[in-house]
Amino acid sequence: MLFSSAVFLFVFLPFTILIYHTILKNNRKLQNIFLCVLSILFYAWGEPAFVFVMLLSIVANYFFGKYIAESNSQQKKKIVLAISVVVNLSLLFVFKYLSYTIENINYFTGT
């Protein structure tokens, strides 16, 4: 499903807005859970093969953030932040740019 598709514009988006602003109006925690679940469903509709990677990233970032928020040491916070940036950039590179990089290396080396 794309943002410009009819299914998104006339079904998914109105349903999401309606539920978010009416039924879940006064419960911020349920609103956040609702949006998180619908975001994952939206992503799964377009690329179901990588939903596990998305869930892994969400869980890892949750624990990185939780550790940073609860830590008392500025040094530990900086280290965990650096690790989380490296993990996220690594996931991005592997799943988005690795095949492109390998193709270019093969092209320029003639292999």
Side-chain angles (χ1 to χ4, degrees), residues 43-108:
Y43 184 81
W45 188 298
E47 195 59 59
F50 296 117
V51 171
F52 180 73
V53 176
M54 180 69 73
L55 292 173
L56 177 69
S57 175
I58 291 168
V59 170
N61 284 304
Y62 172 78
F63 285 111
F64 285 138
K66 193 170 177 76
Y67 183 84
I68 290 170
E70 293 174 356
S71 180
N72 294 327
S73 167
Q74 289 295 331
Q75 184 68 20
K76 286 182 182 178
K77 288 182 180 188
K78 288 179 183 179
I79 291 170
V80 172
L81 178 62
I83 291 169
S84 70
V85 169
V86 167
V87 166
N88 283 289
L89 289 176
S90 298
L91 284 172
L92 178 67
F93 178 77
V94 167
F95 289 99
K96 187 163 184 159
Y97 299 112
L98 184 61
S99 63
Y100 173 75
T101 304
I102 291 172
E103 286 175 15
N104 281 312
I105 290 171
N106 289 339
Y107 176 77
F108 288 116

Side-chain angles (χ1 to χ4, degrees), residues 7-45:
V7 174
F8 176 79
L9 291 173
F10 300 115
V11 178
F12 189 85
L13 184 60
F15 169 78
T16 302
I17 292 171
L18 181 72
I19 300 299
Y20 184 85
H21 286 295
T22 58
I23 296 174
L24 303 174
K25 179 166 96 172
N26 296 322
N27 192 334
R28 180 63 75 176
K29 185 174 182 177
L30 279 179
Q31 283 179 330
N32 290 339
I33 293 170
F34 177 72
L35 288 180
C36 184
V37 169
L38 284 182
S39 295
I40 293 168
L41 288 174
F42 176 78
Y43 184 81
W45 188 298

